[in-house]
Every structure is written in structure tokens, then in C-alpha cells.
Amino acid sequence: MVLSGAAFLQRNVERVNALNVFPVPDGDTGTNMNLTMTSGTNELQNKPSPAVGKVAEALSKGLLMGARGNSGVILSQLFRGFAKSVSALEEVNTVQFAAALQSGVDMAYRAVAKPVEGTILTVAKEAAKHAVAYARRSNDMIDLIRELHSKADEALSRTPDQLPVLKQVGVVDSGGQGLVYIYEGFLDALAEQTKDNDFQRIRSDYYEVQRPAAPVLQKQQPASAQSRLSTETIEFLYDMEFFINRKLAGPGVRRFDETAFKRLLSRDGDSLLVITDDEVIKVHVHTRRPGDVLNYALPYGELTDIHILNMREQHRELMKAGETAEIHEEAWQRAGVSESISVEDAALGLAVPEVLTGAPADSVPVEQAHEWAPYGIIAVAMGEGINSIFLENNVDIVLSGGQTMNPSTEDFVKAIESLSADQIYLLPNNGNVILAAEQAAELSGRNVTVVPTRTILQGLAAMLAFRDEHSAAVNGEAMAEAALQVRSGQVTHSIRDTTIDGIEIREGDYLGIFEKAIVSATPSLQLTCRELLTLMLENGGELITVLTGEPADKAETSELETWVRETYPDAELEVHEGGQPLYPYLFAVE
């Protein structure tokens, strides 16, 4: 049932994405729900069990850690409550199944600070309520799931009457539609079983689309050095070789700066070799401080295939025993390196590595991003320019995120765990990310404060309000207050014709969005920006911040700057290259 539900959702991701209430390219509900469901099914596959309670527990854990966006978090809570209800059961009957659905609804409503009717919550609630009543009259599970799906579909059709914006645009709720697809998959799985179709058919159907395989790590030949040295002349005695796998570490890794990384390793090392290949970085270095090298590398990804050799020790053994290159080649083979080595390499004393897992506290470098600190800040952002601004101003980790891809609960949890700080602040910078951040804060067991920033520019203001010398509570209040002082605007493209709040919108129009409302729609980017900024500055403003995106044109930006300076000469103007996709301009007024 679960795999079939996931398969139905996966096949209809774009349909769910297309149901967003605003005509802008931020269709991510289906994507978020699908990524969340995929995480759940992967965990379920890794922990098979004949007991329904164990299966539900595995599914719940996977959904929880993979939850993305509001829709994904709510979906994870629906099945988390379900799992708690059936945790002790080997099998379930209709009454128990329906009760578990209701438990999931209860948990999901508790997880949302301000539940809104006409959403996935409403669809789940009405469907579960009907299932509980129906289960009292029937012990047929297929009939129950058929009723569940039918009631969910009926509730979905009423969502435009409950949420005005849906009716205005003429769509049903996207999250609710995603849940209906999952229930449809449930029903299909049970119905197909009655036709003698087995589990493997459903399993193969779900895994029809596979994620790309992990990159193959190619073992590099160890670097050569002089073949005839006295032991004492080997100054940098530890020969290190390892990979930094950025893919395995997820989106919470620090942006890799090859020049800065090489500079750090060169301070106390030589024979440095750094090879970057998309998601994998190969590192070779001779050093006196292997612990420091590992600490330098940790912020950039997960370290794999670590080999650390003491060249002085092996050189002494070589001189003492008069061993040949063949002996040393055997040592490398035991270490997992099958390539042959030269006599010159053998003279360096290559042997089975001993992994050093850390360095004394006093040797942790100042540049180390994840060293112990009183405070740590994690922000969500999109665009290289915006990422750099955050990293240069107190933020320790930037998680990739935007309108079409949100970090999951697990992404936040991993980022939190990677910081050795007494107090950590999360800046979601997107209203659709706040729930995942709050869920991660609860799961982490650490002192984590979620500053509910809903835009990148609110996040920047909150970040700049942070003060090292202030207490955790004072900083939390100051950051939240600073975010509230920001009026946020954004400009993007419309992808279809529609009417919103009396504004006629044509496909291809530039849309000016003030907070959550579309306030301007014209074919001219310049005119849309001017109309949006005029409204944002209606009540005055001392500082105007502009973040230019990938679609922005330099000439257009220059023209806009001139207009702003002439029209609002008393306001300070700052223009930064943000590099964000989809949005030519992000505006903030303070």
C-alpha cells in the first residue's frame, strides 16, 4: 500500500505542483511531498518487517527525517501519529486502521501553529472522520480504503469554498490533492491483490524511476617524493590521502573554496594535491598535523577512504630490515590500494594506515567553521551571492533552498549536529520552511531558536541584528524584531493568465509581490519594479536594499538605481548581487 501510494504520488508530481495558488514558478508542493514520501519508503525498504507496527515505525522515521516544506512536514505528522497508534500491533483491522488515521490528523493539527482549513489538513481530517464512522459498520479493509479515498476526494473538491484564494484562481488545494493520490495508491494496491497481482509488481512499479547512482570513487596514485632520505629529513611525516564526498554530506556543507583550503593545508604541509570533480574532492598532503587537516576538511563534506601513513616510522623499518618495494606494495594492498607503486614511493615507507580522528583542542584552527562557539547560525538561501553575504556575516552554515526546493527536517538536523555551539539559531527565510525548521529544533535536543523569517531579506536583517555579547534570549528577540521591521518585495514572471485581487495577469507579465500579495503586473520589468517600490515606500523608509538575481540585466539595474536615487533622495540605497534564480530582484525597505 505504501509503495503504491508513493508511486501514484510520484507519477503525479507535476500535476500537484501545477495547483499552486499564485501564478509564479514556485510549484513545489508535489516535489516536497514526493521527496518526503521517497525518504519514508527508502527507510521502510531498509527495515522490512511482517508486523504492521514496525513497518509504520520505519515509514514514519523516514518521512520525518526527509520532510520538506509545509506539505512534507504535515504529511510526516499524519503518518507519525498513525505509527504511534499501531506501534504495538502485528496486524490491524478496520477499526484500528481508522483510529490510527485519526491519531495522525490530531498530531498534524498540533504540529501546525495556525491550522488553515481548505488545505491538506482538512482533507485528511474529513477523510479520517468518515473512516472512523465507516469502520464501525464494516470489517472489509478494501471497502474502508475505498471510502477513505472517496471522502478525501470529496473533501478536496470543497477546498476552494474554504480557502478564498483557491476559489479566486480556480484550483483545489495542492497538498490535499497529493494526499488523495496517496490514498488512491493505497486502494490500487489492495484492489490489485484481489486480482492475484503480487507485491513485487507494485515494488517494481514504484522503483521504475531510480535516482542517479553514487559517483565511483577512483583511487589516485599516491604522490611521489625523493627516494633516498635520512629519516630525520622527512619534515612532514604524515602522508595523508582521502576523499571529501559532498553528495553524501547533503546540502548543509560549507561552500568549497579551493584557494582558501589549499592555503590552510599549505601552512604546515607540502606535496599538496587537491582534485575537484563535482561532488567529490580528492586530497593528498604531507603534514605534521593530520588532525588539523581532517578538521579543515570536515565542513566541506563527508570524509571517506581516509589513509594516514607515518613515513618516518616506515622509513626506519625500511632501513632496518632492508625491505624491498614489493613488501611495501603488499602494505598498500592491505590498505585497500591495488595499484603498483614505484621504488621511490616505497622508500617513503608506505604502509597500512592508522586513522587519526581528531586533534587536541588547542590545535583546532581559527578558520574551522564548526569549532566550539557560544552561538551558531544556520540560514536557508538561494544564489551564490546571497550565500556569500550570509557566510560573511556570522552565519556558519547555509542550506540550499528556495521556492522550488526546500531543505528537509533531516537537512536541518544534520546541520545542527555539525555545529559545536551552546545556542543555535535557524533562519528559514521562507514561510514554507518554518515548520521543517521547528520540527528539526525539537528533534535535535539542542538549544535551538527558530527565528521565523519568511523572506531572504528578513533573514539578512535578523542576521545583522545578532550580537556576540548578548544573551541567547536577547539575541532571539532582537533578531525576530529586526525581521519584522523589514518590508519585503520580489519581482518574478507569471506563468499563466489569471486574475488575483482584481489584478489582470497575463502569461509572461512581470509580477511585483509585496509580502504575500501581488500588487503589480505589467509587461515591463522596469515599470513593475517602480510600482512595487512605490507601494513599499508609501510609509517612508530609511534604507532600500536590492538583491539582483540571475535574470537581472546590468543596464536594467542601473536604470532602476537612477530612478530610486532621484525619486527617494533621502533614503540610503544598497545594491548587492544575490544570484537567486527565478527572481530578477528582491527588495527590502527598512
Side-chain angles (χ1 to χ4, degrees):
M1 284 175 60
V2 170
L3 291 177
S4 180
F8 269 63
L9 175 64
Q10 186 179 62
R11 286 198 295 267
N12 291 283
V13 164
E14 292 308 318
R15 293 184 183 181
V16 176
N17 282 342
L19 293 174
N20 283 346
V21 296
F22 289 125
V24 292
D26 61 353
D28 61 355
T29 298
T31 301
N32 286 334
M33 293 184 74
N34 182 48
L35 290 170
T36 302
M37 201 69 182
T38 299
S39 177
T41 54
N42 286 344
E43 185 70 17
L44 183 150
Q45 291 284 69
N46 290 333
K47 296 181 179 179
S49 172
V52 70
K54 295 295 184 183
V55 170
E57 180 184 3
L59 174 65
S60 172
K61 180 182 178 183
L63 292 172
L64 186 67
M65 299 311 294
R68 294 176 184 269
N70 288 348
S71 55
V73 172
I74 291 172
L75 184 65
S76 74
Q77 293 302 303
L78 289 173
F79 285 102
R80 189 181 183 190
F82 183 99
K84 287 184 179 295
S85 181
V86 301
S87 60
L89 302 178
E90 295 286 325
E91 299 178 350
V92 289
N93 56 35
T94 55
V95 172
Q96 293 164 331
F97 189 92
L101 288 171
Q102 184 59 54
S103 294
V105 170
D106 294 341
M107 180 162 286
Y109 266 84
R110 288 196 298 269
V112 180
K114 295 180 180 179
V116 176
E117 298 303 332
T119 64
I120 183 177
L121 288 170
T122 306
V123 174
K125 178 181 67 175
E126 294 191 16
K129 181 180 178 181
H130 178 71
V132 168
Y134 187 83
R136 299 192 189 105
R137 309 193 301 272
S138 174
N139 61 2
D140 188 303
M141 188 62 77
I142 295 180
D143 284 348
L144 176 68
I145 301 301
R146 185 176 291 111
E147 289 291 321
L148 175 73
H149 172 257
S150 177
K151 191 65 177 181
D153 200 32
E154 179 187 324
L156 177 66
S157 68
R158 291 197 298 268
T159 54
D161 297 325
Q162 298 166 298
L163 198 56
V165 67
L166 298 178
K167 193 166 191 174
Q168 192 172 14
V169 179
V171 296
V172 295
D173 177 66
S174 55
Q177 179 67 81
L179 185 62
V180 169
Y181 281 132
I182 292 172
Y183 288 166
E184 185 177 354
F186 283 6
L187 179 60
D188 183 71
L190 292 184
E192 288 294 336
Q193 282 189 355
T194 65
K195 301 176 185 176
D196 296 326
N197 285 14
D198 62 13
F199 168 77
Q200 289 303 322
R201 194 275 308 169
I202 298 170
R203 186 177 188 277
S204 62
D205 180 52
Y206 176 62
Y207 284 97
E208 204 171 56
V209 181
Q210 292 289 332
R211 291 190 303 274
V216 177
L217 305 184
Q218 300 293 335
K219 175 59 65 178
Q220 302 292 327
Q221 194 72 282
S224 297
Q226 294 178 351
S227 60
R228 299 188 179 279
L229 300 170
S230 66
T231 302
E232 291 71 28
T233 62
I234 303 176
E235 181 181 6
F236 303 102
L237 67 162
Y238 295 107
D239 183 1
M240 298 187 66
E241 188 175 67
F242 57 93
F243 291 92
I244 305 174
N245 194 314
R246 295 171 68 75
K247 180 179 180 181
L248 292 178
V253 295
R254 188 178 180 185
R255 183 172 61 88
F256 185 67
D257 186 333
E258 184 173 341
T259 302
F261 182 71
K262 287 181 176 179
R263 185 169 61 248
L264 287 173
L265 266 61
S266 298
R267 287 181 177 179
D268 197 25
D270 68 0
S271 299
L272 175 62
L273 178 66
V274 178
I275 302 172
T276 60
D277 181 21
D278 294 332
E279 296 164 338
V280 177
I281 301 166
K282 166 73 183 208
V283 180
H284 174 274
V285 66
H286 295 169
T287 181
R288 283 183 290 231
R289 294 180 176 271
D292 282 0
V293 172
L294 295 178
N295 281 326
Y296 291 141
L298 278 171
Y300 300 113
E302 184 172 318
L303 307 188
T304 62
D305 287 11
I306 304 172
H307 300 289
I308 305 178
L309 313 175
N310 185 325
M311 293 185 290
R312 283 187 186 175
E313 178 183 4
Q314 297 308 314
H315 190 265
R316 282 192 291 263
E317 291 179 3
L318 176 63
M319 296 298 100
K320 182 179 179 181
E323 294 178 11
T324 64
E326 286 77 11
I327 299 289
H328 295 285
E329 182 170 359
E330 288 179 10
W332 269 105
Q333 289 172 345
R334 291 197 301 273
V337 181
S338 60
E339 294 88 351
S340 61
I341 58 176
S342 66
V343 173
E344 288 80 9
D345 289 326
L348 290 174
L350 307 179
V352 178
E354 176 182 355
V355 177
L356 305 183
T357 58
D362 60 358
S363 70
V364 176
V366 174
E367 293 84 358
Q368 166 63 24
H370 297 183
E371 65 182 351
W372 180 89
Y375 302 112
I377 303 177
I378 299 167
V380 178
M382 55 179 178
E384 283 298 314
I386 296 175
N387 292 354
S388 297
I389 293 172
F390 275 117
L391 290 171
E392 291 166 4
N393 290 274
N394 293 323
V395 171
D396 298 281
I397 295 175
V398 175
L399 294 176
S400 299
Q403 292 303 102
T404 57
M405 179 64 71
N406 301 142
S408 67
T409 301
E410 184 175 19
D411 295 335
F412 277 113
V413 170
K414 285 183 177 179
I416 292 168
E417 289 175 348
S418 73
L419 289 180
S420 299
D422 291 336
Q423 174 68 39
I424 295 173
Y425 298 92
L426 302 185
L427 303 177
N429 300 337
N430 187 315
N432 201 33
V433 178
I434 293 174
L435 272 180
E438 290 175 342
Q439 188 162 264
E442 179 183 349
L443 288 171
S444 71
R446 303 275 296 279
N447 295 322
V448 180
T449 298
V450 178
V451 183
T453 51
R454 296 182 173 276
T455 67
I456 292 292
L457 294 156
Q458 284 189 348
L460 291 173
M463 171 197 71
L464 294 173
F466 174 83
R467 296 290 182 272
D468 281 323
E469 64 273 16
H470 289 170
S471 68
V474 169
N475 264 323
E477 292 175 4
M479 293 168 79
E481 179 63 27
L484 289 175
Q485 300 304 312
V486 175
R487 283 167 263 166
S488 301
Q490 52 194 2
V491 176
T492 188
H493 261 113
S494 168
I495 60 171
R496 57 173 171 252
D497 294 348
T498 190
T499 301
I500 298 286
D501 294 330
I503 297 178
E504 293 289 336
I505 300 170
R506 300 292 177 221
E507 180 180 348
D509 276 355
Y510 288 99
L511 303 181
I513 304 173
F514 185 9
E515 303 299 353
K516 294 182 179 181
I518 296 177
V519 296
S520 175
T522 80
S524 165
L525 174 59
Q526 196 70 211
L527 179 58
T528 299
C529 290
R530 293 181 182 185
E531 289 184 354
L532 173 59
L533 282 169
T534 299
L535 282 172
M536 293 178 66
L537 287 155
E538 201 169 37
N539 296 318
E542 298 177 358
L543 173 64
I544 304 169
T545 303
V546 180
L547 295 181
T548 62
E550 287 179 356
D553 177 78
K554 288 185 178 180
E556 195 92 48
T557 301
S558 178
E559 183 180 347
L560 182 62
E561 283 186 61
T562 300
W563 178 84
V564 171
R565 295 185 192 281
E566 291 176 351
T567 310
Y568 301 97
D570 295 332
E572 182 181 351
L573 175 64
E574 291 186 1
V575 180
H576 302 282
E577 186 176 337
Q580 68 275 4
L582 304 178
Y583 297 87
Y585 297 104
L586 299 178
F587 299 126
V589 173
E590 301 175 61

